[in-house]
């Protein structure tokens, strides 16, 4: 029997099941690798940087990979998975239409734009909307909010909940909140979110913002590769959770301007190719000359055309723009 077949017989749930010694398990946990799956998705280089020699690093990862079920899925199973996709309303008809009925579960949707463009307001509104029944565009579930910029406000939740007819005191209980203090801490929170997602029937996972810590901690060209590797891992973890729990995953992202660019877009989302390719749906938000009105542009989607729509931010939350708004 091959080593792979022998290993498959047993269920490998925690690192200790791999029989790599308690000291090594402890070391891996200190690196944020808490499960066999985490280890299987790591690169030898990351382990080497933590003082594990090259050969052991390779062996450990190989062992973990052999224990994981093969990730191949038959096409018809994929169809079944997609049939289960749910859509969450944003509160704006135009934005929902742009997204073909709302934000999809099982993948990552990214909102990017400059400061004040409405990224966090959308996140707040989604935390409320997710609690609505399916027939009202909700997912009848709870929200997990990872806040990296300290901009989550319970007062806003109360206002928005009241507006959609939810009891604010109940609505706030269905939002599980965590503040991430560093990029490592942010990663740690997602690595360990399974239990809290399951126990609380979480159907919406928000990371607001995805990139701020990474951007401020990894400075300069020489740190770029490491930053991108970590971001990649973080986003794949998020995809895994979104698929595993049929949840909507929403991340926000800052923009940077490139003053040396004369043609095309001078404003770019942070995070380069990794974030661009891992976010399935990207929406660019910008302010308009009409006060509370914001413009949303669907920049990329695996199956929808580009397009634009408008919505407004009011005390009640994310709302439709009406005719009177154009006169402001
Ligand atoms: P960012 O894209 O930086 O996350 P936000 O989502 O925090 O931006 O949007 C902030 C904007 O939302 C404010 O500038 C304001 O226009 C609007 N806003 C926030 N709270 C309220 C409120 N209670 N009533 C009306 N508009 C609000
Ligand atoms: Mg914000």
């Amino acid at each position: 029997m091959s080593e792979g077949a022998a290993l498959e017989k047993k269920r490998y749930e925690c690192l200790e099941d791999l029989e790599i010694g308690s000291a090594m398990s402890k070391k891996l946990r200190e690196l944020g690798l808490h499960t066999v799956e985490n280890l299987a998705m790591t690169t030898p280089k990351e382990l080497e940087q933590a003082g594990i020699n090259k050969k052991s690093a390779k062996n450990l990862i190989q062992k973990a990979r052999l224990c994981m079920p093969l990730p191949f899925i038959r096409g018809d199973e994929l169809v079944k998975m997609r049939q289960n996709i749910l859509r969450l309303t944003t509160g704006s008809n135009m934005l929902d239409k742009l997204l073909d009925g709302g934000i999809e579960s099982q993948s990552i949707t990214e909102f990017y734009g400059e400061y004040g463009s409405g990224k966090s307001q959308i996140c707040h509104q989604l935390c409320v909307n997710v609690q609505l029944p399916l027939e009202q565009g909700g997912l009848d579930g709870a929200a997990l909010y990872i806040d990296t910029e300290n901009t989550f406000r319970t007062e806003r939740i109360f206002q928005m909940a009241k507006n959609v007819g939810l009891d604010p005191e109940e609505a706030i209980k269905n939002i599980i909140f965590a503040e991430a203090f560093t990029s490592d801490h942010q990663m740690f929170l997602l690595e360990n979110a399974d239990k809290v997602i399951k126990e609380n029937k979480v159907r919406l996972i928000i990371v607001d913002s995805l990139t701020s810590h990474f951007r401020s901690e990894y400075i300069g060209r020489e740190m770029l590769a490491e930053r991108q590797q970590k971001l990649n891992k973080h986003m794949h973890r998020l995809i895994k959770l979104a698929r595993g729990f049929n949840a909507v995953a929403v991340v926000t992202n800052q923009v940077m301007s490139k003053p040396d660019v004369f043609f095309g877009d001078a404003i770019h989302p942070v995070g380069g190719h990794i974030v661009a390719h891992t976010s399935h749906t990207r929406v660019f938000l910008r302010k308009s000359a009409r006060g509370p009105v914001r413009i949303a542009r669907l920049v990329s989607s695996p199956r929808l055309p580009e397009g634009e729509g408008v919505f407004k931010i009011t005390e009640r939350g994310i709302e439709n723009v009406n005719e009177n708004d154009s006169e402001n």
Side-chain angles (χ1 to χ4, degrees):
M1 206 187 313
S2 74
E3 192 187 1
L7 286 168
E8 250 174 64
K9 282 198 162 178
K10 192 172 151 189
R11 256 185 88 78
Y12 288 83
E13 278 164 353
C14 62
L15 287 176
E16 283 70 18
D17 294 339
L18 286 174
E19 291 164 18
I20 50 178
S22 59
M24 182 56 86
S25 300
K26 188 164 171 263
K27 191 162 195 171
L28 293 174
R29 284 185 195 281
E30 281 165 7
L31 293 172
L33 304 168
H34 294 271
T35 64
V36 177
E37 190 183 18
N38 293 156
L39 181 59
M41 292 201 295
T42 304
T43 57
K45 202 156 187 179
E46 278 178 87
L47 298 187
E48 279 176 57
Q49 279 163 357
I52 297 172
N53 74 51
K54 198 171 182 169
K55 195 165 169 234
S56 309
K58 276 192 165 170
N59 286 342
L60 279 168
I61 293 168
Q62 171 77 348
K63 196 164 188 183
R65 286 188 183 159
L66 284 168
C67 299
M68 298 287 299
L70 284 172
F72 299 112
I73 316 174
R74 248 179 30 204
D76 57 335
E77 287 165 25
L78 214 53
V79 172
K80 250 188 245 157
M81 260 177 81
R82 285 201 60 81
Q83 277 166 351
N84 290 331
I85 288 180
L86 300 166
R87 286 193 175 74
L88 172 60
T89 180
T90 60
S92 147
N93 290 344
M94 265 192 150
L95 197 46
D96 284 357
K97 198 167 162 223
L98 198 66
L99 299 165
D100 194 28
I103 305 179
E104 274 191 3
S105 64
Q106 298 182 23
S107 66
I108 297 180
T109 299
E110 172 192 353
F111 288 95
Y112 71 91
E114 59 176 19
Y115 176 75
S117 58
K119 305 180 293 290
S120 299
Q121 293 301 310
I122 290 182
C123 293
H124 281 69
Q125 184 72 59
L126 294 172
C127 285
V128 169
N129 292 359
V130 72
Q131 302 181 38
L132 294 169
L134 296 183
E135 53 286 6
Q136 287 178 40
L139 304 179
D140 193 18
L144 173 67
Y145 201 115
I146 297 179
D147 184 6
T148 73
E149 295 177 327
N150 191 15
T151 53
F152 181 78
R153 294 291 176 274
T154 51
E155 306 88 278
R156 281 302 270 154
I157 299 296
F158 285 122
Q159 289 173 330
M160 292 172 174
K162 218 188 271 173
N163 186 47
V164 299
L166 291 175
D167 175 356
E169 301 289 341
E170 288 304 313
I172 200 73
K173 288 185 199 159
N174 289 322
I175 301 171
I176 319 293
F177 173 82
E179 188 172 353
F181 298 106
T182 63
S183 65
D184 273 347
H185 185 223
Q186 182 180 333
M187 291 178 76
F188 172 83
L189 291 172
L190 265 200
E191 295 295 340
N192 296 283
D194 298 71
K195 203 165 159 230
V196 82
I197 292 175
K198 205 180 213 164
E199 285 175 357
N200 295 281
K201 220 180 133 196
V202 166
R203 276 290 162 82
L204 167 69
I205 307 163
I206 284 174
V207 185
D208 180 25
S209 107
L210 173 73
T211 47
S212 58
H213 284 317
F214 288 93
R215 191 183 186 188
S216 63
E217 289 166 27
Y218 294 86
I219 301 162
R221 282 209 158 266
E222 60 285 0
M223 291 184 95
L224 192 64
E226 191 183 344
R227 184 190 87 173
Q228 293 306 86
Q229 197 181 40
K230 292 238 163 120
L231 259 174
N232 187 31
K233 194 168 160 195
H234 188 45
M235 292 189 80
H236 277 97
R237 173 70 188 149
L238 185 56
I239 295 176
K240 193 112 215 289
L241 291 172
R243 293 210 179 121
F245 295 97
N246 198 9
V248 166
V250 168
V251 301
T252 66
N253 194 0
Q254 301 160 323
V255 288
M256 52 184 184
S257 52
K258 285 191 178 167
D260 52 327
V261 176
F262 290 104
F263 301 102
D265 283 344
I267 288 181
H268 293 270
V270 175
H273 294 303
I274 295 285
V275 176
H277 294 155
T278 326
S279 294
H280 304 98
T281 305
R282 310 192 94 182
V283 182
F284 173 43
L285 300 178
R286 62 186 199 275
K287 292 180 185 173
S288 75
R290 294 189 274 153
V293 175
R294 299 289 188 276
I295 304 158
R297 176 164 191 83
L298 180 63
V299 176
S300 90
S301 153
R303 60 177 194 92
L304 296 173
E306 280 195 27
E308 277 194 356
V310 289
F311 65 92
K312 66 177 176 180
I313 310 171
T314 72
E315 194 174 318
R316 291 184 296 276
I318 304 298
E319 293 193 297
N320 292 325
V321 173
N322 49 44
E323 280 162 29
N324 300 336
D325 292 314
S326 58
E327 286 155 24
N328 286 340

